[in-house]
Amino acid sequence: MNWYNMTKGEVVEELETSEGGISSDEVERRRKVFGLNQLDEAERPSMILMFLAQFKDFMVVVLLAATLISGLLGEYLDAIAIILIILMNGILGFVQERKAEKSLQALKQLSSPKMKVLRDGDWTTIPALEAVVGDIVRVESGDRIGADLRLLTCQGLQIEESALTGESLPVNKHPEAIRDEQPGPGDQQNMGFMGTLVTKGKGVGVVTATGMKTEMGKIAHLIQSADTMETPLQNRLEQLGKVLIAAALLLTALVVVLGIIQGRDVYSMFLAGVSLAVAAIPEGLPAIVTIALAIGMQKMSKRKAIVRKLPSVETLGCATVICSDKTGTLTQNKMMVTKLWAGGETWDVTGSGYSPYGDFFKGNTRVYSDEERSLKQLLTFGLLCSNARVMEKSGEYVLDGDPTEGALVAAAMKAGLTEDVREEEFTIIQEFPFDSNRKMMSIVVEDSVGKRYVIAKGAPDIVLKQCESVLWSEKKAPLRKSYEREIQEQLNAFGELALRTIAVAFKPIQNEDNMLHSVQAESRLTFVGLEGMIDPPREEVKQAVADCKTAGIKTIMITGDHVTTAKAIALNLGILPERGKVMEGSKLSSLSVEELENQVEDIYVFARVSPEHKLKIVKALQNRGHIVAMTGDGVNDAPAIKASNIGISMGVTGTDVAKESSSLILSDDNFTTIRAAVEEGRNIYENIRKFIRYMLASNVGEILVMLFAILLMLPLPLVPIQILWVNLVTDGLPAMALGLDPAEGNVMRRDPRKPKEGVFARGLGWKIISRGIMIGACTLAAFMICYSENPNDLVQAQTVAFSTLVLAQLIHVFDCRSERSIFHRNPFENKALVLAVLSSVGLLLAVIYYEPLQPIFHTTYLSMREWMLILVFSSIPTFLLAGTTFFKRQRRRG
């Protein structure tokens, strides 16, 4: 259908819809016909292919070849056991990969675009995926359009369609039919297309196509919201893995060659070498990091922080500065008018929430006296020049629209001016929407007797500049300096109360003044009055700011509010210290990035700034070496969000453009969630370090016990099947459980991590080597004691070595939970780890005491004396080194 050729009425009729929207039942029927509103994605590999991919690693292939040789040589039990272990490893990897994929898909859906549609007569926000043909949709500046629309109404609507046409300049839109036969998408000015961006104004349209039927679907273009790029940490670990592989292969080759030189069986040494290489090589490091990050992302989403880009999880731990918007993030985003000033008088507003009850003018009466006409004009004009609606739902009054405009509407309602005034007594002829450059909004209205007015509202200093007169004591008077001073004094008084102030002005115009330009409309105005409102700080934010300060993170507040208002809020929340500075947007505009760089360390509040200033602030902070987290919700915030190290957008109020530019979305728009995300980010990185520490120390121990035995010309302490079993038992469940470890108590009392910090920083390398050497030495010592007592029973000595190695690693896993020592954390805090360790101990006992498994794993029964020997030697690596560290710290404190 050529929707652009049809009139609005024809489109609505053809789509069997109405300007009142469609019903929920009709939505379900249409979804069955048209399907979900999504573009076809590339086919994902099947579960079978994902499972087979677990066995493509080179060392696993070598092990399978060795297993085949075992079978051919008649070692059937060994061959079957090795295949079973390989299968168990493959299943574990497959399950974790599926979990990671599902969590990423869930997060992708959480951060997908939203659409505002009219269903059953009410405006509601839905995922774009659920839109159907015939839905009535409302779009406004900053929205990413989620389906193809035929526009029905437009108010200064401009749409940037570069994603579809390649043309970067926004297109002016109108709702009238186009008579050209075959206009291209770029010339269809009454259409809005999926994937394009509303840059200005607002409008209402009807969905004409969804999914693959859209213009975007025809060219199969999809902007993917989930990023699959590797993190810097993954890249570093991949390089580290290559070095470790080379070292492990070298040591393994040394073990094999020395064994053959000593006259040991070639086949046994070959199989032992391959098993040792498989156990020692940390081929799963990059995959484990991805899984740890995915688990962390799930945990963060539960704390209302949706991660869109994996690198941000790692970067969060390095953040040194958080630049936060004030409204909604540090405050409740529930603006309420508390003070009014008009005609030289001030009124206090009573009543809470958006309820229309709570009269506040003289005499508590709903009848206005002659002296209060200026008050009535202020409230009426504030009501008219607002697009917000206050509605009753389930016994509560709720806001639909901008919080600032909602406060103006609620104030008028509390004074007895219902919303019917807008519809019955006035007609809106034209609107000039608010934008951050003008800092104003204005409308042209006609009253019931045919008179027309321009009504404007906006930032008081900006509105005042456009006024030539003022309503004073019910009379219009020239705006003399004395009046300006009194208005300014009133502004300062409101500011000291931390009130955000909106000024209202008007002027009568001639009826023939149609389609004015905003410059014409917003000039030579008459100043009416001020409405002072407050957005109360969120109670929990003060503690979150203090926590960030303790963690070495500076919080900077960025707001468009007046300096005195911004200062009052910042002091209340503990953001602004005693000697901290506040900078205004006008001063910021006059500074270059280099000049700002010299001052930015002392600035804690930026007031009266536009979104464009944010980019300058980000660059100045980054030039000083800071890792910057920047919040934003508007289209103009996108460059700063993208340029920052961690871009954070608002999930509730944020535009789709801001969300797409960000790496983190706050689903509750709350600063406290940023603090929680930083804590989770730090903990995820620490858990990855714990995993590396545990796995590599275990690998070092496994290699050294074999190397030491050969150098001392002893029998092999471990047979190949035991080495593979240790690899599964100790590098499997307990290692994964470390990824679920809760944060240490001091994680938010440390300074931010340096971005270029190496994986082995803060003594991690020494801990890995020292514990690895001790695990290897103690395992060998237990073997030698047992073997020297009974040289004729090698299986018993090998069972003791096998058990010592497993238990040493299972005890060591608890030591890995703390940067200090095993004594500094409650071992039962991580229930998943306790369960994993108990499972591993149970499996160890099974292979020792379950007779059918004894010949497979070359084990035998152990006596109580032998278990005492095992427990002593398996405890030494952790408790000796941890105890030494503990007593050193105690001595330093003393």
Side-chain angles (χ1 to χ4, degrees), residues 814-871:
F814 290 101
D815 190 35
C816 293
R817 296 183 60 235
S818 174
E819 282 280 310
R820 291 172 288 182
S821 77
I822 194 171
F823 303 111
H824 286 85
R825 297 200 73 179
N826 179 354
F828 302 105
E829 191 180 15
N830 186 341
K831 292 182 176 59
L833 182 60
V834 172
L835 189 62
V837 168
L838 289 175
S839 301
S840 298
V841 171
L843 291 169
L844 173 65
L845 294 174
V847 299
I848 293 173
Y849 290 104
Y850 184 53
E851 284 190 22
L853 294 177
Q854 287 178 341
I856 298 172
F857 290 95
H858 302 270
T859 56
T860 188
Y861 295 105
L862 297 176
S863 67
M864 184 59 68
R865 180 180 176 281
E866 285 153 352
W867 275 115
M868 292 300 294
L869 178 73
I870 290 165
L871 286 171

Side-chain angles (χ1 to χ4, degrees), residues 242-285:
K242 290 175 182 175
V243 174
L244 293 173
I245 285 171
L249 287 175
L250 186 65
L251 287 170
T252 301
L254 183 62
V255 169
V256 175
V257 170
L258 285 173
I260 293 171
I261 290 172
Q262 291 174 4
R264 299 173 193 256
D265 179 58
V266 174
Y267 165 71
S268 297
M269 289 310 302
F270 169 72
L271 195 57
V274 171
S275 303
L276 197 57
V278 170
I281 292 170
E283 71 280 346
L285 264 181

